[in-house]
Amino acid sequence: MKVAAILILRGMTSLAWAADAYVIRHARVVTVSGPVIEGGSVVIQDGRIAAVGKSVPAPRGARILDARGLSVYPGFLDADTRVGLTEIGSVSATNDTNELGDYNPHLLAYTAVHPASEHIPVARVNGITTVLARPLGGVMAGQATLINLDGWTVHEMAVRKTAGLVLNFPSILGGRQLDPATSTSRQIKYSEAKRNYEKGIRELRSLLEDGRRYLHAQQARAKDPGLPALEANEKLEALIPFLRGEEPVLVSVSRKVDIQNALEFAETEKLKIILLGAGEASKVADLLREKNVPVICGPVQSLPPQEDDPYDIAMATPALLAKAGVRFAISSNGAANVRNLPYEAGTAAAYGLPKEEALKAITLYPAQILGVADRLGSIEAGKIANLVVTDGDPLEIRTNVKHVFVAGKPVSLETKHTRLYQTYLNRP
Amino acid sequence: MLRKTWVLFSFAVATAFGAESVLIKNATLLTVSQGTIPDGSILIENGKIAAVGKDLAAPADARVIDATGQYVLPGIIDCHSHIAVEGGVNEGSLAVSAMVGIDDALNPTDINIYRELAGGVTTANILHGSSNPIGGRNAVIKLRWGKSAREMLFEGARPGIKFALGENPKRSNFTTPPGSQRRYPATRMGVEEVIRQALTEARQYLLDWEAYKAKQKTGKNPLIPPKKDLKLETLAEILKGERLVHSHGYRADEILMLLRVAKEFGFRIATFQHVLEGYKVAREIAEAGTGASTFSDWWAYKVEAYDATPYNAALMARKGVVVSINSDSAEEARHLNQEAAKTMKYGGLSETEALKLVTLNPAKQLQIDHRVGSIDVGKDADLVLYNAHPLSVYAVPQKVLIDGQVYFDREEDRQRQRALEAEKRKLMEAEKSRPTGLPSQERPTKP
Amino acid sequence: MKGERSVQGWKTGNQNLQLFVLPFFQSSHLPFFQLFGGLLFVLACGTVRADGPVIFALTNARVVTVSGPVLEKGTVLLRDGLIEAVGADVSVPADAWVIDAAGLTIYPGLIDALTDLGLPSQQQPAQEGSQPAGLHPPAAPSTARRQEKPGMTPYLRAADLLVDPGRKAEDARNAGITTVLTAPNHRGIFLGQSAIINLGEGDESHRVVRSPVALHIRLSPMAGSLEFPRSLMGVLAYVKQSVYDSRHYAEAWAVYKKNPRGAKRPETDRSLEALEPAVRSEMPVVLSASSAVEIQRAMDLADAFHLTYILAGGQEAYKLAPVLKRKQIPILVSLNFPEKERDSHPEEEEPLRVLRWRAETPKNPARLAEEGVPFAFYSDGINNAKHFVRNAARAVRAGLSKEAALRAMTLGAAEILGVDSQLGSIEPGKIANLVLTTGDLFDEKTKIRYVFVDGRRYEPVDVEQGKPAEGAGPEAGGV
């Protein structure tokens, strides 16, 4: 163990240190945004990256981490998860992802994040330092939140309290419908699916128009206070930044024709959208590039959406998107196993994505897509000091994460799992 | 003429070699049983591994596969799978469904067979679902894509049966359909009771037959024999030690329960499946000579999976349990080599120990290790050729052989995909030019 | 109405009651036929039935005997419901009513080798993807006693359940179908025993040609079942256990009957009793099986128990043709060819598997014929009887010879169903079931002029004459 400053890594999760300054020395610094710096240093101060370089001066009182033989990466960002919103899948009491009702643009995932969730340290110890946590239910599920995976409160964790409105875009394909009485499913006929779809689109358009009228009246009253008072409406109020195109709508969609419909819808409604999942994105890659719509794809380790698809289509999708010039990121789309995000990227690399691109797909690209590249996604001075120190290629399973910094602080690598391991390893 | 046409339609994936000799050369051989052989060769004759080593001479007519830069691993064995089953993997109507068997419902045309093959899986233990304390009979298959159900069965594999403990058989996480009653059992107590009751019945069944046969020998009058009962016949085979029990279970307490029951009834549990709390009672599992087949890192999807840790496999292995890593999923099965790699990270297993988790160990658990699981002379030539070390995330299977025949080839897959798309377009065009039939309320939509 | 004498006067039946009824009572074949019933039939049916003495001489016809060579100009003599003579120089007896059939072709009456025609109605929406027959059948006809086990009604006999088939039988007959194998088709596994019935009018006891014919078993899960068996493997286990139970039942009773004194009496069970003939291989079982996998599965099951069996569905039988030929397993081939679901998204791509299924199914009969697998056609829920012949013609276009297609609807079917001494060809002594057409049966323009069932003449009336028939087109689909 060459790490001199190992003492700082025990039991100091989020402890407030008097002088929050650290220097990682002698490391291979993979900045992602720039060239790799062999034997470089990263200076961390007040939660931010203060300096990066071959030889940078250490601030007085800074703790030194000798990372000889180790590599430093920007912390990984998983742009589609349910971390903090769910604990045990089958226990509804622990799940806060699905609210009742179809249209809930005003609900905030931020509100329901459980900072003490066991999933947080589990994800973190494998280098995932930031996640987008999002709700699932209904058509407009609510607003996602972007959080760092360390903090006493969600307020401390939040990078962006709200990071997009989740829209489960209606499918025109219908799919199968389960009859609970007989536990058998039936294929929904196209005519019926089309009716449902058109109804869904009408409702959506009508809601968006309500929002626009609301905004219009609000603006008018701002100019002329003499106008009658506007009755406050939480739902419509919540829609405003999305109607203005200031904030992204995160459109969850998977089939090719549904992606096409969603793109058309977004264009007519002038929404700024990001696709989530989008299993068949590679089949409409040219359209996505043309419309400049980014995709948060994943999980990469998925079965093909269609029986006749190439067996490796999901693994090859990031490579296909990259080749077509589509902006993309890779996500785990998980909760309990967000820790496997690097292997999702690694798998994409195995099936054709250049390794550097695979790394970017879980660092800089999701930061760019989510509009936080000024703070996250690479090792650059001024960015939030979310860093991972490893003994090798982090996309490789056998590689070990040695240190993790979240918002400039080293975090404990202890989890529920390591505790159980230690306990039962010692069982006589 | 017509016949020839339709033969062409079916995918001829498996390439049969007329010569029946194959030489794989210049590869890194991960034998699993005897370490790594760099620049090694494998000679295959009649589907079996005939020789392993360096500079092997091959018959003149042998097909030579130059695997320079590639790694050869024994075919991956998935000890827990539900692919290729038609009409439901659960007979959930009864608490004991030992009368049913997966072999009756195998569907050799399930595309997941091909997909898993492309992930390096050559043998899979197809299990009944976990809705019953005692489920149905399993079927061990080789993924001989293109062959019939019967031809996929692993010849001579020991028969087995699925048991299940905990939340699934007590139906904790399932809603009861309207109009039906909740099925007994609803507690872990009840699960034990159902198993004991069934085994007791089976014991009585054996006694009844013995008594009948004895009486028949001495008596003059013909006797009415006991009723042949498929459920009890199957259970009796467990008691006689002829049928392997693969029991789904999570919590330490239920694992110990079943070990107690098995001991009392005089048989051994072959494997615990999932066994996510196995690390808590690894000593007891090892002492019972029972295997453990677990997930690499799945957890928290239900209460009994909340104490799961990715260290489970390594911890159990350290304590002397024969451990395998399984998929229980058509997707997960495609990267079991990567799942095995996780045990190096979580618990520090060696490369060979990790590789054994998806090759030799599941073979031992299924008692087919005399045939498969390692690269050894005399074993079946079930092999995977990777472009990188299979414990690397970047490894992609290039060729997969079963019984010495290439069943998957990544290059040929590209051609297969093109042919498929061309045929599809042709058929769609042909159909468009043919007037469609009449509207109907009854029309078969199979297959 | 070429060359016909004196039927004109009583074409509408009720106006000429006197004329109509009398010959009926004189017929020794219909002793129980009630005057009133006969009247009702005439009023209820759209067919204009020409009744009279049941001695007919059909002369100057092209006769497709099926069993022998085609007679380009021959006579078929019918008497008392049977074919008395057939040949080029049959002398017409004085008492025969002569129909000059010049320009017409006589075929044996067509046989629909599996249907539920004549059994209690079961109109239910289609059950997708699970029922090989494409039908979602209702519950079994209620019987006075409790039903012993789910899906277990092997004791039901189609012959005992017959109801007035009404329009359906008439439509089938108008399409040339004179005989059907009808089998219980409700929700279940051991469905019951089939009967062969002729589609003439009259009391059901006269329509039954043979009963019971076969035990019908559906090898797929009962939709929505909450009881055992719910899965396919459950169904297989259920069938196997039932065979064991039936064997045991027979043995137990045999032992008991030999020496009842001092022995406990076995229970009675009408289901197990009803299974006995099939289990002893004295009665064939008809097993549903469509895909190659299902066919193999059904064969494995039946072979394991040494059952005599027939497969129904058979859409992918061609894939197993060599083994089916070797074992001479008869196939009832569905003529309800699969069609594309029209109510689907235009861009929704179907798997190649489904496209192939649709493309290959009509070619299946040709392949079976080429290989020498015995097969017969059945309607399988076709909702327009005319499509029976029309879809057979589609199989002909896909390579099946016309002779083989005809055979699969006549003598071939009769052989499979064990009634080839009575039906299926135009030979002396056989039941006088005939179809007289204006031309080649498989020609789209051909009309059916007369149908004879049990020697009685029926004259199809095209109620939509002048209008193109529904679905008329070169490739009218199965349903």
Side-chain angles (χ1 to χ4, degrees):
Chain A
M1 186 62 59
K2 290 176 181 169
V3 182
I6 190 71
L7 68 144
I8 65 168
L9 299 164
R10 290 260 164 239
M12 43 178 284
T13 310
S14 309
L15 288 183
W17 283 61
D20 273 345
Y22 305 89
V23 180
I24 304 170
R25 281 214 189 284
H26 310 304
R28 182 169 179 269
V29 183
V30 182
T31 63
V32 173
S33 53
V36 172
I37 305 163
E38 299 290 347
S41 298
V42 182
V43 179
I44 301 163
Q45 199 158 20
D46 299 328
R48 299 271 166 169
I49 297 167
V52 190
K54 196 89 184 164
S55 58
V56 286
R60 188 182 296 272
R63 276 142 215 282
I64 311 294
L65 177 67
D66 185 344
R68 223 176 288 263
L70 302 179
S71 302
V72 190
Y73 292 86
F76 306 133
L77 197 172
D78 194 332
D80 186 6
T81 79
R82 301 179 299 283
V83 171
L85 303 178
T86 174
E87 194 67 22
I88 300 178
S90 71
V91 181
S92 66
T94 70
N95 293 324
D96 289 294
T97 51
N98 294 51
E99 189 46 89
L100 300 176
D102 283 339
Y103 301 96
N104 291 312
H106 52 315
L107 300 186
L108 304 182
Y110 177 86
T111 304
V113 169
H114 181 45
S117 166
E118 296 287 3
H119 297 266
I120 291 173
V122 165
R124 184 170 72 193
V125 299
N126 211 28
I128 292 86
T129 55
T130 308
V131 299
L132 180 102
R134 62 137 172 145
L136 302 175
V139 179
M140 274 186 191
Q143 296 185 39
T145 187
L146 188 68
I147 52 174
N148 279 336
L149 292 185
D150 187 43
W152 294 97
T153 65
V154 71
H155 178 72
E156 289 179 18
M157 296 164 79
V159 178
R160 295 202 59 195
K161 183 179 177 184
T162 66
L165 171 64
V166 176
L167 171 62
N168 293 311
F169 193 74
S171 174
I172 199 165
L173 294 174
R176 295 189 77 81
Q177 191 178 51
L178 191 75
D179 177 359
T182 60
S183 312
T184 52
S185 66
R186 67 177 188 98
Q187 179 68 39
I188 296 175
K189 301 261 192 239
Y190 174 54
S191 50
E192 186 185 343
K194 192 161 174 271
R195 268 198 306 280
N196 294 343
Y197 168 75
E198 282 162 357
K199 179 171 170 278
I201 294 298
R202 267 199 309 278
E203 285 176 5
L204 265 177
R205 287 199 197 282
S206 146
L207 179 63
L208 295 178
E209 200 198 294
D210 285 350
R212 289 204 180 87
R213 289 203 311 275
Y214 184 81
L215 175 60
H216 179 73
Q218 209 177 46
Q219 286 166 336
R221 194 165 185 276
K223 279 185 200 150
D224 178 1
L227 287 170
L230 185 66
E231 197 181 325
N233 184 317
E234 290 248 312
K235 268 190 196 188
L236 301 181
E237 190 76 45
L239 284 174
I240 289 173
F242 307 103
L243 294 170
R244 285 180 150 153
E246 294 163 0
E247 293 293 329
V249 177
L250 307 171
V251 181
S252 173
V253 67
S254 60
R255 301 292 305 278
K256 178 181 154 187
V257 58
D258 292 330
I259 295 173
Q260 290 165 332
N261 286 342
L263 259 55
E264 199 192 313
F265 178 83
E267 198 162 67
T268 53
E269 294 294 331
K270 299 186 178 60
L271 301 175
K272 179 171 134 190
I273 62 166
I274 298 167
L275 299 188
L276 297 180
E280 297 190 7
S282 63
K283 298 176 185 173
V284 283
D286 290 340
L287 181 69
L288 290 166
R289 184 201 44 234
E290 190 190 308
K291 304 285 178 196
N292 194 23
V293 170
V295 181
I296 293 167
C297 53
V300 172
Q301 293 181 336
S302 292
L303 288 173
Q306 301 301 311
E307 181 175 322
D308 289 345
D309 283 338
Y311 79 94
D312 59 353
I313 189 170
M315 290 92 96
T317 289
L320 295 169
L321 294 180
K323 214 172 150 192
V326 179
R327 293 163 63 209
F328 72 98
I330 291 173
S331 85
S332 72
N333 188 24
N337 271 338
V338 165
R339 61 179 160 198
N340 288 334
L341 178 69
Y343 316 141
E344 293 284 329
T347 302
Y351 287 83
L353 186 68
K355 285 183 190 177
E356 304 72 41
E357 288 287 296
L359 181 61
K360 282 183 179 172
I362 56 171
T363 53
L364 194 54
Y365 290 164
Q368 288 169 344
I369 290 170
L370 296 173
V372 291
D374 56 330
R375 285 179 283 166
L376 293 170
S378 62
I379 303 180
E380 289 178 85
K383 286 199 176 181
I384 296 171
N386 285 357
L387 299 167
V388 189
V389 183
T390 69
D391 60 3
D393 176 357
L395 308 191
E396 278 284 19
I397 296 159
R398 283 170 291 178
T399 297
N400 296 300
V401 170
K402 296 296 196 182
H403 310 282
V404 176
F405 289 81
V406 176
K409 282 178 246 163
V411 294
S412 161
L413 297 187
E414 188 184 301
T415 67
K416 178 174 164 66
H417 299 161
T418 58
R419 285 193 301 274
L420 284 166
Y421 176 57
Q422 290 302 332
T423 304
Y424 285 92
L425 190 62
N426 296 324
R427 183 191 161 203
Chain B
M1 165 58 203
L2 275 163
R3 220 177 328 148
K4 278 173 199 126
T5 327
W6 65 258
V7 168
L8 285 177
F9 278 124
S10 52
F11 291 138
V13 172
T15 318
F17 306 122
E20 304 228 332
S21 289
V22 184
L23 181 73
I24 300 171
K25 61 174 197 182
N26 302 331
T28 304
L29 309 182
L30 304 167
T31 65
V32 174
S33 54
Q34 42 190 335
T36 300
I37 304 173
D39 285 324
S41 302
I42 301 172
L43 179 65
I44 300 165
E45 266 168 359
N46 299 316
K48 300 275 181 188
I49 297 170
V52 181
K54 296 195 171 226
D55 309 317
L56 294 180
D61 59 349
R63 170 177 166 176
V64 177
I65 298 174
D66 185 350
T68 304
Q70 299 192 346
Y71 292 76
V72 185
L73 186 71
I76 288 175
I77 299 168
D78 186 355
C79 200
H80 192 124
S81 175
H82 299 297
I83 62 165
V85 181
E86 207 171 330
V89 299
N90 274 302
E91 178 54 57
S93 57
L94 305 166
V96 179
S97 62
M99 70 291 281
V100 311
I102 289 289
D103 54 332
D104 276 340
L106 273 181
N107 174 13
T109 66
D110 181 0
I111 188 66
N112 284 326
I113 296 172
Y114 182 75
R115 291 168 175 168
E116 291 198 3
L117 189 61
V121 180
T122 54
T123 295
N125 181 25
I126 312 298
L127 289 164
H128 183 281
S130 54
S131 70
N132 340 55
I134 297 181
R137 305 186 304 272
N138 67 329
V140 181
I141 64 167
K142 282 206 189 186
L143 306 193
R144 297 174 178 124
W145 177 244
K147 299 288 170 70
S148 72
R150 223 181 315 166
E151 288 164 330
M152 283 201 188
L153 290 174
F154 195 119
E155 325 69 35
R158 285 286 293 281
I161 189 169
K162 178 77 173 283
F163 278 29
L165 315 174
E167 292 180 26
N168 288 12
K170 74 197 188 86
R171 313 309 283 155
S172 308
N173 307 316
F174 304 88
T175 46
T176 310
S180 64
Q181 285 194 324
R182 231 186 129 174
R183 195 198 69 194
Y184 186 92
T187 64
R188 285 183 168 80
M189 301 182 286
V191 170
E192 176 185 15
E193 199 269 337
V194 166
I195 293 170
R196 297 180 65 88
Q197 175 71 32
L199 294 172
T200 304
E201 259 182 71
R203 196 148 66 181
Q204 187 59 48
Y205 182 74
L206 285 173
L207 291 174
D208 288 350
W209 273 100
E210 268 171 42
Y212 163 74
K213 281 173 187 160
K215 245 181 170 177
Q216 206 184 22
K217 265 182 209 157
T218 54
K220 281 171 245 147
N221 291 330
L223 293 162
I224 299 176
K227 246 169 101 169
K228 185 177 166 85
D229 186 305
L230 285 176
K231 178 182 92 177
L232 298 175
E233 297 261 314
T234 305
L235 296 176
E237 287 165 9
I238 299 171
L239 297 177
K240 290 188 278 184
E242 296 165 358
R243 188 170 283 282
L244 305 180
V245 173
H246 302 291
S247 182
H248 159 120
Y250 281 80
R251 259 173 37 183
D253 51 277
E254 64 199 22
I255 292 164
L256 296 180
M257 175 278 281
L258 191 61
L259 290 177
R260 283 195 304 271
V261 171
K263 193 171 177 190
E264 182 188 325
F265 281 86
F267 66 95
R268 191 165 62 82
I269 303 294
T271 68
F272 280 109
Q273 299 283 328
H274 310 329
V275 60
L276 296 189
E277 287 191 14
Y279 66 94
K280 294 184 180 177
V281 287
R283 197 184 67 210
E284 286 82 352
I285 296 172
E287 279 167 8
T290 292
S293 188
T294 187
F295 298 133
S296 59
D297 60 0
W298 287 357
W299 73 294
Y301 43 94
K302 48 184 169 174
V303 172
E304 61 189 5
Y306 198 52
D307 264 7
T309 94
Y311 297 92
N312 188 35
L315 227 163
M316 288 192 291
R318 288 270 171 272
K319 303 237 172 173
V321 181
V322 175
V323 181
S324 67
I325 286 189
N326 68 46
S327 79
D328 194 13
S329 142
E331 200 295 306
E332 186 88 347
R334 306 191 301 165
H335 42 85
L336 280 174
N337 52 313
Q338 293 183 24
E339 302 313 307
K342 288 175 183 169
T343 60
M344 299 175 71
K345 182 190 186 81
Y346 301 110
L349 291 191
S350 71
E351 269 190 17
T352 301
E353 282 174 319
L355 290 174
K356 276 186 181 173
L357 298 175
V358 292
T359 54
L360 193 55
N361 287 3
K364 284 180 180 166
Q365 292 176 339
L366 296 169
Q367 300 189 11
I368 49 176
D369 50 317
H370 59 297
R371 289 273 307 276
V372 291
S374 61
I375 301 177
D376 280 305
V377 172
K379 285 199 178 183
D380 297 2
D382 294 3
L383 303 164
V384 192
L385 277 65
Y386 289 93
N387 60 346
H389 193 293
L391 293 171
S392 163
V393 76
Y394 304 117
V396 176
Q398 304 297 309
K399 281 188 176 63
V400 181
L401 286 77
I402 299 176
D403 309 320
Q405 294 191 27
V406 178
Y407 277 85
F408 170 78
D409 184 307
R410 193 157 154 82
E411 285 305 311
E412 280 171 21
D413 176 76
R414 294 290 174 263
Q415 292 162 29
R416 169 190 179 273
Q417 193 64 34
R418 276 194 294 274
L420 181 151
E421 273 150 27
E423 189 190 341
K424 215 166 154 172
R425 274 194 304 276
K426 208 180 91 195
L427 287 177
M428 284 192 292
E429 281 308 310
E431 205 161 58
K432 262 184 215 157
S433 61
R434 192 180 76 74
T436 55
L438 301 172
S440 166
Q441 67 267 37
E442 300 141 5
R443 179 175 291 157
T445 53
K446 300 205 95 182
Chain C
M1 302 297 129
K2 141 185 336 186
E4 240 183 89
R5 284 174 273 177
S6 79
V7 281
Q8 227 113 48
W10 24 292
K11 247 196 169 165
T12 47
N14 55 345
Q15 291 169 349
N16 295 283
L17 193 57
Q18 198 72 4
L19 278 167
F20 166 66
V21 172
L22 278 175
F24 237 112
F25 272 91
Q26 284 157 3
S27 158
S28 60
H29 272 255
L30 299 161
F32 304 114
F33 202 85
Q34 301 290 311
L35 178 145
F36 214 61
L39 178 58
L40 283 179
F41 257 115
V42 173
L43 291 173
C45 298
T47 310
V48 177
R49 192 186 65 209
D51 273 298
V54 285
I55 310 157
F56 286 101
L58 316 176
T59 61
N60 302 319
R62 181 167 182 269
V63 184
V64 182
T65 63
V66 175
S67 52
V70 173
L71 305 174
E72 286 308 330
K73 191 173 177 186
T75 297
V76 181
L77 187 63
L78 315 181
R79 185 184 291 276
D80 292 340
L82 297 178
I83 297 167
E84 190 172 69
V86 54
D89 355 276
V90 172
S91 57
V92 177
D95 58 351
W97 192 260
V98 175
I99 295 176
D100 182 356
L104 298 182
T105 304
I106 308 182
Y107 292 97
L110 305 182
I111 299 170
D112 177 352
L114 182 57
T115 174
D116 55 8
L117 200 151
L119 299 178
S121 163
Q122 43 201 311
Q123 288 311 309
Q124 293 266 334
Q127 168 68 29
E128 285 179 54
S130 63
Q131 307 295 342
L135 293 173
H136 181 52
S142 76
T143 53
R145 295 161 58 172
R146 74 189 160 88
Q147 195 182 303
E148 290 84 354
K149 278 179 177 174
M152 175 66 88
T153 55
Y155 46 80
L156 287 181
R157 289 183 171 200
D160 299 337
L161 301 169
L162 292 175
V163 293
D164 176 7
R167 245 336 259 277
K168 277 195 156 184
E170 193 191 335
D171 288 347
R173 193 173 60 223
N174 287 349
I177 300 166
T178 60
T179 306
V180 301
L181 178 77
T182 192
N185 188 27
H186 50 270
R187 183 176 170 279
I189 295 163
F190 289 95
L191 302 172
Q193 300 168 36
S194 51
I196 294 172
I197 57 171
N198 275 344
L199 298 185
E201 291 165 358
D203 187 272
E204 56 263 21
S205 55
H206 296 281
R207 284 188 275 130
V208 174
V209 176
R210 187 166 172 204
S211 170
V213 176
L215 174 69
H216 292 250
I217 303 174
R218 182 182 288 130
L219 290 180
S220 53
M222 295 185 283
S225 178
L226 299 172
E227 300 172 287
F228 179 77
R230 214 143 88 182
S231 62
L232 175 61
M233 56 189 170
V235 170
L236 272 288
Y238 186 76
V239 172
K240 290 181 197 178
Q241 185 64 57
S242 300
V243 173
Y244 287 129
D245 288 353
S246 174
R247 281 183 188 165
H248 181 264
Y249 184 82
E251 189 176 355
W253 273 102
V255 169
Y256 175 74
K257 279 176 184 164
K258 217 175 227 177
N259 203 354
R261 179 166 265 178
K264 193 172 173 237
R265 188 176 73 256
E267 287 173 17
T268 59
D269 186 319
R270 60 174 169 167
S271 292
L272 298 180
E273 216 164 286
L275 290 179
E276 280 185 36
V279 167
R280 282 199 303 264
S281 215
E282 290 161 10
M283 179 192 283
V285 294
V286 174
L287 301 168
S288 60
S290 293
S291 68
V293 175
E294 287 173 336
I295 291 169
Q296 186 65 59
R297 186 180 291 136
M299 287 169 59
D300 289 348
L301 176 76
D303 288 343
F305 291 101
H306 310 292
L307 304 179
T308 302
Y309 60 103
I310 297 168
L311 302 175
Q315 283 87 339
E316 280 189 342
Y318 65 91
K319 290 189 175 174
L320 295 162
V323 62
L324 291 167
K325 185 209 173 173
R326 182 164 48 75
K327 297 163 87 86
Q328 283 294 298
I329 305 302
I331 317 286
L332 307 183
V333 175
S334 166
L335 277 179
N336 196 352
F337 294 135
E339 292 289 339
K340 183 173 164 63
E341 170 59 62
R342 300 206 306 177
D343 194 357
S344 61
H345 191 280
E347 282 181 48
E348 177 76 294
E349 268 188 29
E350 294 170 291
L352 178 58
R353 176 175 52 87
V354 173
L355 292 167
R356 275 184 184 163
W357 171 261
R358 281 206 298 271
E360 298 304 301
T361 301
K363 299 178 196 162
N364 176 43
R367 291 163 178 166
L368 295 180
E370 189 195 19
E371 193 73 41
V373 178
F375 69 97
F377 286 135
Y378 78 104
S379 54
D380 195 10
I382 288 181
N383 66 1
N384 181 340
K386 284 182 179 163
H387 294 175
F388 189 67
V389 171
R390 219 171 266 177
N391 281 1
R394 199 173 148 193
V396 168
R397 278 193 298 282
L400 183 67
S401 72
K402 283 183 183 176
E403 293 70 32
L406 180 62
R407 218 170 180 285
M409 300 188 287
T410 55
L411 193 54
E415 285 165 358
I416 289 171
L417 303 177
V419 287
D420 49 314
S421 60
Q422 295 158 278
L423 290 168
S425 61
I426 304 179
E427 291 179 87
K430 287 205 172 180
I431 292 170
N433 286 0
L434 301 172
V435 184
L436 276 69
T437 66
T438 58
D440 187 298
L441 185 65
F442 299 107
D443 186 334
E444 194 63 26
K445 291 184 209 101
T446 295
K447 295 257 182 270
I448 291 173
R449 191 50 55 77
Y450 302 111
V451 177
F452 285 84
V453 182
D454 278 319
R456 277 170 48 193
R457 186 179 58 177
Y458 301 86
E459 194 177 341
V461 171
D462 198 343
V463 285
E464 292 171 274
Q465 212 160 27
K467 287 183 268 172
E470 188 199 1
E475 292 280 353
V479 268

